[in-house]
Amino acid sequence: MTPKAKTTEIAAEHARLVRELEAHEYRYYVLDDPVVSDADFDRLMRDLRALEEKHPELVTPGSPTQRVGGEVRPSITKIRREHRMFSLDNAYSAEDMLEFHRRLTDGLRDGDTPSFCIEPKLDGASIEVIYEGGHLVQATTRGDGAEGEEITPNVRTIRGVPSRIPHDGKLTLRGEVLIFRKDLVTLNVEREAAGLEVFANPRNAAAGAVRMMDPREVAKRPLRAIFYQAVEGPKAKPTHSETLEWLATLGLPTHLRHKVTPWEGVMDAIAAIDAARADYPFETDGAVVKVDSFRHQDILGATSKFPKWAIAYKFPAERAITTVRSITVQVGRTGALTPVANMDPVELGGTTVSRASLHNADQIRELDVRVGDRVSIQKAGEIIPQVLAVEARSRPAGTEPFEMPKECPVCGTRVVSRVREEGKPELEATVRCPNRQCPAQVQGRILYFASRPAMAIDHLGESLVDQLVTKGLVKDVADLYDLTAEHVAGLERMGKKSATNVIASIQASRERTLDRLVGGLGIPQIGQVAGRQVAQVAGTLATLLAWSDEQVREHVSGIHGFGAKMVECVALFVRDDAERAVLQKLLDRDVSRPQPREVVATEGPLLGKSFCVTGVLTRKREDVHALLRGAGATIHDSVKKDTSYLVAGEKTGKTKLDQAKKYGARVVTEEEMDKLAAGETLPE
Ligand code: AMP
Ligand code: ZN
């Protein structure tokens, strides 16, 4: 084969992988109907990454491998948009809707009877995305409507937003970035583990993310985008609803939950969305009613703020009134005390609710919730309902303000309080039980250790863990591995069969790799992602335990994205006698397997040096990379500002050499590279 034919073949293979990955992303993130397993998907992604590593010239900003996000940006630029992004007028009642209809028929005048398209109002952050020549070229926030902030690198990380579409002309889209409810639950579990504040609702989580400066952080949020409008492009389509359907055929995420009807059907369509919205994967706070025909839209035009052809019908927030019967205090895995109101059961948003969170001591004081109070509770995106307000007039006589207990309600240890500090609004007031042996904490830690993202121990539910801890059978996570079926079979709701299953799951979890174990320990600030990074530098549990305090700091502080606080948390944890004892017990029970290496070595003669390898060498490119990584170097796909060496094989391109010159990278031969990797120095 000629080199040219080979190049074409490689490019074709690259295009095939990209297409396949994009198709799977589409099925997963847009249709919510994947056809391959996560493992198969990961394998394709690895293949693509390997191919791009060998042929860096094939990498484009739109490649699925680039979804992890690029460089941090120093600032965000403002962009003036061609078409203003409007807000929507609101309606709250059938009367408001009649008024909207009246204005509309006046505006149309020619006696045309419009059709309407009714769709869910998505509750996230609005964006505009522009495709040109089939490529995603720009994304902006709404900003003030006329001008938005450029957030293209952030939007590129959103899975499900194709980087290429089969449409050549310019296409300007409006959409909403949001987080699905189920994804928010997982995200919050991770944030809690990392010691970060959890998001109260998906909107906050999504809105904060789109404007972040570091696209790699954005990539870590489970964002989705749904497009609900095309502003420029589909002139061939006469209506909005047909345009939505056309967008879907291009592989663009739209919700396709719209309904087209004459005016008579509008209120029913709104009611249908209200009835169905609890089953939507995303939050919906209303229905948007739009005049369907573009011709009618053009005639109607816009005010300075809203289009006159659309209106948002807002559903009333889901609220209910009930009576507080008691206020109990829960103790979490980290020892935090949270007050919970136990109330007369009441219908709220399709479920029966009898408990509401009071968040923390500050909030309970502000609201002054007391036992016997009638309270209004609300569920507006929040996962647990919140107490909104007290109906003070109905308060029975002789009640006392609620006080947080001075002792842990579970173990009786005196609590430690932290008050809210002036100027640090992000630090909530907290009350904690400082006793690590507190059964509530032990139980929380075990459940966390056993959870899906961590050690994934099946059949180990809350009631079983509760019994194991209360009976003193398990005092720490390592004790799990000493349990036998006999221990478990005697417990409540435990037959012989289920006992055997639990024990089998526990024993099977010894085979998990180190990352899951580290992520499951509940080290403050260290969630699953950070846990994996720690596991990669340590490799094995034995190594982690063998490290001196200094070594821990040295290795961990080299991890990408680890700040001083995270390093400190890991060091404190590994140094702590009680924690060490548990880690040693885990090691003695042969729990966890070595972490496969993915990252560069943390020592070696080339530590801190970076290489770009190009041209034809005597060995396979992968082997060369492995050699360099093994010696501590990092590999760049192209010559960059901070590239130290360019290894130039035969037929090295001129561009690469020019770049090396421009950035001051030293050009070396394969032989010289071998010397460097062996720790020798090259003559000047
Ligand atoms: P508001 O921010 O309350 O003025 O509502 C206007 C915003 O609702 C728009 O800027 C959109 O971002 C958003 N929105 C959500 N879903 C839709 C939809 N289906 N059609 C139009 N706008 C929508
Ligand atoms: Zn306690």
Side-chain angles (χ1 to χ4, degrees):
M1 205 182 315
T2 65
K4 177 105 183 292
K6 181 115 197 292
T7 319
T8 332
E9 194 176 289
I10 289 164
E13 167 68 4
H14 183 264
R16 189 191 64 77
L17 279 169
V18 168
R19 259 200 315 277
E20 198 173 337
L21 278 160
E22 282 178 348
H24 290 315
E25 285 190 333
Y26 178 66
R27 295 213 56 110
Y28 188 93
Y29 291 103
V30 181
L31 303 181
D32 211 1
D33 180 24
V35 287
V36 293
S37 67
D38 289 0
D40 285 341
F41 182 85
D42 290 346
R43 194 176 40 70
L44 284 169
M45 190 66 100
R46 266 201 306 278
D47 290 351
L48 181 64
R49 219 173 266 135
L51 189 67
E52 290 185 349
E53 199 155 291
K54 270 197 237 165
H55 304 279
E57 68 282 0
L58 294 174
V59 183
T60 63
S63 166
T65 57
Q66 305 302 301
R67 293 241 196 250
V68 291
E71 315 268 282
V72 184
R73 300 187 297 159
S75 63
I76 290 192
T77 42
K78 290 234 164 86
I79 289 192
R80 184 154 278 276
R81 60 170 52 88
E82 241 172 277
H83 308 269
R84 198 190 163 80
M85 233 169 136
F86 288 102
S87 174
L88 288 171
D89 200 0
N90 289 322
Y92 297 93
S93 62
E95 283 85 81
D96 291 350
M97 290 304 292
L98 280 177
E99 178 56 33
F100 167 68
H101 188 231
R102 202 159 23 233
R103 279 196 308 264
L104 208 130
T105 24
D106 279 358
L108 286 175
R109 250 170 303 179
D110 62 354
D112 263 8
T113 31
S115 278
F116 295 85
C117 180
I118 297 95
E119 46 196 89
K121 184 166 192 296
L122 309 161
D123 198 13
S126 11
I127 53 164
E128 179 179 89
V129 173
I130 302 179
Y131 285 88
E132 254 168 21
H135 291 274
L136 191 166
V137 292
Q138 187 186 91
T140 45
T141 62
R142 176 159 80 177
D144 67 0
E147 226 175 48
E149 291 173 327
E150 201 254 339
I151 48 159
T152 320
N154 291 359
V155 170
R156 283 195 201 287
T157 69
I158 301 177
R159 274 138 291 227
V161 175
S163 56
R164 292 174 311 128
I165 51 169
H167 173 74
D168 274 337
K170 182 168 177 186
L171 184 58
T172 303
L173 300 169
R174 301 283 164 76
E176 204 80 356
V177 171
L178 32 85
I179 292 186
F180 282 5
R181 277 193 286 249
K182 67 168 195 292
D183 293 333
L184 185 70
V185 175
T186 321
L187 178 65
N188 273 344
V189 168
E190 282 172 16
R191 287 181 66 87
E192 220 223 294
L196 299 168
E197 230 171 289
V198 299
F199 293 111
N201 57 53
R203 188 188 51 246
N204 293 355
V210 288
R211 299 183 59 245
M212 286 197 288
M213 305 299 270
D214 186 349
R216 282 166 307 203
E217 285 302 314
V218 184
K220 291 182 194 159
R221 303 262 173 107
L223 299 177
R224 316 252 179 168
I226 293 181
F227 295 109
Y228 54 72
Q229 196 188 349
V231 199
E232 185 177 339
K235 285 288 174 270
K237 302 277 177 290
T239 65
H240 168 67
S241 55
E242 283 163 286
T243 305
L244 285 181
E245 279 144 30
W246 175 69
L247 293 182
T249 66
L250 296 181
L252 288 160
T254 52
H255 51 68
L256 295 184
R257 286 180 171 86
H258 57 288
K259 183 172 170 32
V260 181
T261 161
W263 176 252
E264 290 67 38
V266 168
M267 290 315 288
D268 281 348
I270 292 175
I273 290 180
D274 194 8
R277 68 184 164 126
D279 299 326
Y280 293 163
F282 46 78
E283 295 289 338
T284 314
D285 61 346
V288 185
V289 178
K290 299 173 183 173
V291 171
D292 201 28
S293 142
F294 286 143
R295 191 175 63 83
H296 288 159
Q297 289 187 5
D298 285 344
I299 298 173
L300 289 162
T303 71
S304 64
K305 280 205 199 126
F306 326 113
K308 291 187 194 167
W309 44 265
I311 197 157
Y313 183 95
K314 291 278 182 83
F315 298 131
E318 297 178 75
R319 288 183 191 180
I321 298 212
T322 180
T323 305
V324 176
R325 290 301 166 200
S326 67
I327 297 174
T328 49
V329 173
Q330 285 184 342
V331 183
R333 172 173 65 82
T334 60
L337 270 57
T338 327
V340 173
N342 304 289
M343 310 162 304
D344 287 342
V346 63
E347 272 296 304
L348 182 63
T351 51
T352 306
V353 172
S354 59
R355 288 149 67 81
S357 162
L358 288 159
H359 263 322
N360 56 36
D362 274 358
Q363 203 206 4
I364 210 166
R365 197 170 314 118
E366 268 156 38
L367 291 172
D368 189 19
V369 180
R370 303 182 188 189
V371 172
D373 276 351
R374 303 270 298 157
V375 290
S376 58
I377 56 173
Q378 168 170 300
K379 201 160 141 188
E382 291 82 3
I383 294 153
I384 338 155
Q386 311 287 318
V387 174
L388 263 193
V390 174
E391 314 276 299
R393 266 170 307 169
S394 64
R395 172 171 289 168
T399 56
E400 296 282 321
F402 174 81
E403 293 274 349
M404 278 298 257
K406 299 275 175 292
E407 276 122 39
C408 170
V410 179
C411 72
T413 309
R414 234 190 132 63
V415 297
V416 185
S417 312
R418 182 183 73 198
V419 291
R420 190 184 280 271
E421 277 177 67
E422 201 62 50
K424 284 195 182 165
E426 73 281 7
L427 288 180
E428 284 195 20
T430 54
V431 179
R432 289 184 54 249
C433 161
N435 170 21
R436 276 191 54 88
Q437 262 57 61
C438 173
Q441 294 185 45
V442 174
Q443 195 178 327
R445 282 201 297 272
I446 290 173
L447 283 169
Y448 185 74
F449 183 77
S451 67
R452 282 257 127 226
M455 297 294 272
I457 305 178
D458 288 335
H459 313 293
L460 195 64
E462 207 166 313
S463 115
L464 176 58
V465 173
D466 185 5
Q467 297 183 67
L468 291 171
V469 173
T470 322
K471 294 227 154 56
L473 286 166
V474 173
K475 295 199 177 61
D476 57 52
V477 292
D479 287 343
L480 289 173
Y481 297 94
D482 292 341
L483 289 174
T484 62
E486 287 70 52
H487 285 131
V488 178
L491 300 174
E492 245 171 73
R493 281 190 274 164
M494 268 292 142
K496 207 159 169 210
K497 178 93 174 78
S498 26
T500 325
N501 285 342
V502 178
I503 300 301
S505 307
I506 293 175
Q507 290 305 324
S509 75
R510 289 165 48 229
E511 302 299 320
R512 308 267 185 266
T513 41
L514 184 63
D515 53 344
R516 286 169 166 270
L517 185 134
V518 175
L521 291 172
I523 305 174
Q525 303 265 338
I526 307 296
Q528 292 305 325
V529 176
R532 185 187 177 102
Q533 290 173 294
V534 172
Q536 288 194 344
V537 293
T540 65
L541 181 54
T543 310
L544 187 62
L545 258 171
W547 274 342
S548 66
D549 190 43
E550 226 160 70
Q551 281 172 313
V552 172
R553 287 169 193 280
E554 187 187 313
H555 289 288
V556 173
S557 60
I559 299 177
H560 182 84
F562 269 49
K565 202 160 165 206
M566 289 169 84
V567 176
E568 190 60 31
C569 285
V570 178
L572 279 177
F573 188 93
V574 178
R575 180 169 75 203
D576 183 86
D577 285 337
E579 305 293 4
R580 287 190 74 81
V582 177
L583 292 180
Q584 185 61 52
K585 273 168 79 176
L586 286 167
L587 187 62
D588 294 343
R589 283 152 188 76
D590 193 24
V591 180
S592 88
R593 299 293 160 253
Q595 189 65 23
R597 290 276 165 158
E598 280 177 22
V599 286
V600 295
T602 50
E603 46 195 53
L606 298 181
L607 198 64
K609 299 280 186 265
S610 52
F611 282 74
C612 173
V613 183
T614 189
V616 184
L617 304 176
T618 60
R619 286 162 282 182
K620 278 204 281 185
R621 185 72 62 85
E622 290 158 86
D623 298 343
V624 173
H625 282 177
L627 169 77
L628 291 171
R629 287 206 173 103
T634 45
I635 312 285
H636 292 168
D637 291 330
S638 57
V639 183
K640 296 189 239 183
K641 223 175 31 245
D642 48 351
T643 307
S644 345
Y645 293 100
L646 173 68
V647 181
E650 264 180 69
K651 299 196 193 127
T652 292
K654 182 165 177 308
T655 351
K656 280 265 159 54
L657 293 171
D658 286 346
Q659 279 174 328
K661 199 162 178 190
K662 178 169 162 206
Y663 292 124
R666 180 162 180 181
V667 182
V668 294
T669 62
E670 190 177 357
E671 231 170 73
E672 290 174 311
M673 173 197 76
D674 281 333
K675 287 195 181 143
L676 287 170
E680 291 174 43
T681 42
L682 300 178
E684 281 307 314

